[in-house]
Amino acid sequence: MCHSKQELYKTGETLAGFAEALNLPFEFHPVVDRLEDVRLPMLHGKEHESVAVNCALQLHKTFYDGTRGELRNFLGFIRSTNPTIVVMAEQEA
């Protein structure tokens, strides 16, 4: 889990270094806004690319409106990006 924007950007630099060492094209576009404010253009997606989504220890404190509508909408948004991998790690909440 990233505790700061700087740590998130450092993670991106590390991943870019791994990709470069393997001669793989790679772009890292971190989302530092509130998850419920994320919109598709913020992801800088391109056709025919792999998308990875990592939501670690955020959903339980971000999306609880009693009806779970916000969470349902966000999960629908993730699905619409057609990700190759989704990582969700949550504590019991």
Side-chain angles (χ1 to χ4, degrees), residues 39-57:
R39 300 293 176 258
L40 201 52
M42 298 168 83
L43 303 180
H44 306 276
K46 295 183 180 98
E47 200 171 334
H48 305 296
E49 73 178 353
S50 295
V51 174
V53 177
N54 180 21
C55 295
L57 305 173

Side-chain angles (χ1 to χ4, degrees), residues 45-92:
K46 295 183 180 98
E47 200 171 334
H48 305 296
E49 73 178 353
S50 295
V51 174
V53 177
N54 180 21
C55 295
L57 305 173
Q58 295 298 313
L59 297 180
H60 72 279
K61 64 184 179 183
T62 304
F63 299 111
Y64 188 75
D65 62 3
T67 66
R68 293 184 173 40
E70 294 265 338
L71 179 59
R72 191 177 5 259
N73 290 341
F74 183 71
L75 294 176
F77 168 73
I78 289 175
R79 186 175 188 193
S80 75
T81 68
N82 195 26
T84 301
I85 186 169
V86 176
V87 177
M88 290 196 181
E90 288 294 327
Q91 295 174 319
E92 187 175 334

